[in-house]
Amino acid sequence: MPRPPAPSARKPHPDAAPAITPIAFIRAIALAYERRGLSPSNALAQAQIAPSSLLDPAARITALQMERISSAAMQELDDEALGWFSRRLPWGSYGMLARASLSAPNLGVALKRWCRHHGLIASDITLTLTTAGDTATLTITEHGDLGALREFCLVSMLRNILGVACWLIDSRILLQGAQLPFAAPPHRDIYDVLFSGPTTFDATPACIQFDALYLALPLRRDERALQQMLQRALPLTVLPYRRDRLLVQRVRQALVAHPAQTHNADALAALLHVSPRTLHRQLKEEGASLQALKDEVRRDRALDLLLRTNRPIKQVAEAAGFQNEKSFMRAFRGWTGQSPAEFRLGNHPPA
């Protein structure tokens, strides 16, 4: 099932992909072997990782190398948790959790099942899904000292459950942020790859946050898809999905909530934690365009203000997200065939 985090796995050979996975994660796997009185030499060889690289704190490996050593270690140690917990999680444990979540009607129910069932196989941590307003939070509560494997454990757990969630709904889930209860490591740059949105260190507890609307999305996977995923779980759980099934809705929300900060694609993309190019491409894939969404939101806002209030036209234009009254007048006439003043006069009941 889910493997420890490997930020990118696009190429079929270790030498063909960028080596950005920190050696610190490999040293954690080697420590799991050491605690069992075993040697990681076979797993290192399968992944084409030189043992001497474990002594170089700045060394990096590719995602495919991470996949190979993780798979080998989990099977040799018969522990999908790779030594994180006080008891081993035998090979197939996380596949069992995925199967138990597969019949859920939506992502929210699936994640709650995952969190509950994880508590049955590992008591060292508790996974919790909560919602507050428009934000969903997946939290890890620690019940003991995870020691030298703490970073590797917490990062892997958060990244894997996020990857499973994306896989279940076949959609990218953009994070509002991630927080971790330890100091920023020397390889902190990798966190920009592992988690979309800002990562905060020295913040308790470990958690990720995202738009709660994702929780209502139905699952798009079945048993056959699960069997295929389990054959090679890592690429499916760590590669970012290109498609965000909530993007159109999230764009509308941002335009409504921040009219003054969304005048252009660059500002809006920054607000949504995506690049302008990605924003335009994904909207096109959803059959939408940024300009059409902006026009829709601004029109609805302007009509509402003209009908419900007596604000001056200039204030209505500003509140609807226009930079000046002239551009608002021109756009409004294109929407309705009338000027804002004519529309208001024709739709207000006589005093």
Side-chain angles (χ1 to χ4, degrees), residues 134 250-262 271 297 301:
D134 298 330
R250 293 176 63 244
V251 168
R252 282 199 187 99
Q253 288 178 329
L255 292 171
V256 170
H258 309 284
Q261 301 173 38
T262 53
L271 203 60
V297 169
R301 177 67 169 158

Side-chain angles (χ1 to χ4, degrees), residues 20-29 44 49-61 187:
I20 59 176
T21 303
I23 203 67
F25 294 162
I26 311 306
R27 293 167 68 175
I29 293 176
L44 289 169
I49 300 173
S52 59
S53 65
L54 299 181
L55 304 177
D56 179 7
R60 302 284 178 114
I61 64 167
H187 48 269

